[in-house]
Amino acid sequence: MDNNLDSIQGQIEQRTHDDQVLSFVLGNEEYGVDILRVQEIKGWEKTTAIPNSPNYVMGVINLRGAVVPIIDLRVRFGLENVTYNESTVVIIVRSEDHDGSQKIIGLVVDGVSDVYAFNRAGLQSTPEMSGTVHTDYVNGLATVGDKMVIILHVDHLINDGILAAIKKTIPSD
């Protein structure tokens, strides 16, 4: 497991193409995020809980002096709960909001899978369905070998989905 994480972390640090995604597993599905948005991958660690936050906000961690909210994507997408184990990881991603400022957030996932290269023009559109993952958060579906990978739109997922919901639940002064 550690060798696989080290290999994937090395691929993230090389970041030579804008058409690569880091794929990860949630339940029985494989998802992907733009590799240019991935800052690092960390093992699961205990968080500091934040009162009155949505149930999918696990809390915050201190990442080299920055306070980073940690979101459990399994809970956010309404999937069944699992226990955290040695394959559970936190993918630290960067998002840009509507004003151009950067936000850093950690996404708890069941495990990382691989780094895939794909042609953006070959992305299939997401069918409109009522499901656990809002289609606004999905860039499209990529075919990789004999499987489909759901490519998430990090900026929409974090800014319009997660951070917007957190702002509604935490009172402002």
Side-chain angles (χ1 to χ4, degrees), residues 11 16-23 30 32-35 114-123 141-145 147 149 151:
Q11 291 178 48
T16 56
H17 298 95
D18 64 352
D19 58 349
Q20 291 183 327
V21 294
L22 171 68
S23 68
E30 193 166 354
V33 292
D34 184 342
I35 200 164
D114 209 340
V115 175
Y116 297 123
F118 69 96
N119 184 339
R120 288 190 193 278
L123 275 183
L141 303 170
T143 303
V144 180
K147 61 184 168 185
V149 178
I151 309 299

